[in-house]
Amino acid sequence: MDNRADILLEDDVDPDPLGQFRRWYADAETAGIRAPHAMALATATSDGAPSVRMVLLKDVDERGFVFYTGYVSRKAGELDANPRASLLFYWDPLGRQVRVEGRVERVTAEESDAYFATRPRGAQVAASASRQSAVLPGREALDARVAELSAEVGSGGVPRPEHWGGYRLGPETYEFWQHREDRLHDRLRYRLADGAWTIERLSP
């Protein structure tokens, strides 16, 4: 599937940005794009120093976009100090990008527990063993901790560690970007104002 020649017009998009996101996400899945749920997450320290990394979208609804991570990670520390972030989905075969910006908060413990229970056992043990972003003396230290935890839990269930859980970004703006060969790319921004979404065209 190749939508690179398409023109993105205001009359063709869903008035609800979540509906438009789901439409494009479905296109990415249909096109067979590897990991369409992969997204770049940009955060910043309280004094504005930025950082970015790839994470995976695990849920999205009217409340926002959910991802999971270690609560002791660099990203978590930055979100605790400055609870604003930006997401970027890039689906190159379709010539499309989606940017989402807004405030971030932790999901409930119940939500984190429910998702953790669906993870493969190895991923559960890994989340428990890793103090994400902490300095390690070497790979062997991490492997030893994984082996120790595996022995402790045996064949029983792996409880979700308190240092691991989810975040939800509540969108305040979306931008849908459509590639054009002449570089006059289409950019439509949805901006939330007074509880309603306004669609604006941005210059490429």
Side-chain angles (χ1 to χ4, degrees):
M1 181 177 182
D2 185 359
N3 288 338
R4 284 181 171 269
D6 288 357
I7 298 174
L8 184 63
L9 299 177
E10 290 85 337
D11 290 343
D12 296 332
V13 297
D14 195 304
D16 174 28
L18 179 57
Q20 182 62 31
F21 174 81
R22 284 173 167 160
R23 185 184 298 176
W24 273 21
Y25 190 90
D27 288 345
E29 289 185 310
T30 300
I33 292 175
R34 183 177 183 274
H37 59 312
M39 56 188 185
L41 167 67
T43 58
T45 61
S46 57
D47 61 354
S51 62
V52 65
R53 76 290 289 160
M54 300 301 294
V55 297
L56 299 178
L57 176 68
K58 291 301 180 180
D59 192 21
V60 60
D61 59 20
E62 290 73 13
R63 297 172 296 167
F65 292 70
V66 176
F67 59 93
Y68 290 85
T69 189
Y71 285 150
V72 294
S73 64
R74 175 179 176 178
K75 70 177 80 64
E78 292 177 355
L79 288 171
D80 289 343
N82 179 13
R84 301 191 63 82
S86 179
L87 304 173
L88 172 66
F89 296 85
Y90 178 50
W91 301 312
D92 177 67
L94 301 181
R96 289 174 172 173
Q97 299 182 56
V98 182
R99 294 168 59 187
V100 189
E101 300 172 5
R103 296 189 64 83
V104 179
E105 61 182 10
R106 292 188 184 189
V107 305
T108 66
E110 291 75 16
E111 288 176 277
S112 290
D113 287 342
Y115 172 68
F116 189 79
T118 69
R119 288 165 62 90
R121 183 178 181 80
Q124 292 176 337
V125 173
S128 296
S130 175
R131 305 292 294 184
Q132 196 172 7
S133 298
V135 175
L136 288 167
R139 174 75 197 196
E140 64 279 359
L142 181 60
D143 291 340
R145 180 56 180 154
V146 168
E148 179 183 6
L149 278 172
S150 296
E152 286 178 6
V153 299
S155 59
V158 180
R160 178 181 66 88
E162 292 185 1
H163 64 259
W164 188 95
Y167 285 95
R168 176 177 288 107
L169 183 145
E172 296 173 356
T173 64
Y174 288 75
E175 183 186 322
F176 293 85
W177 181 97
Q178 175 74 56
H179 173 86
R180 298 286 293 163
E181 290 297 339
D182 54 13
R183 297 298 188 267
L184 293 177
H185 309 304
D186 289 311
R187 297 174 62 192
L188 297 183
R189 178 173 65 189
Y190 292 71
R191 180 170 51 85
L192 186 61
D194 299 323
W197 291 102
T198 298
I199 301 177
E200 304 167 317
R201 178 170 290 272
L202 303 180
S203 181

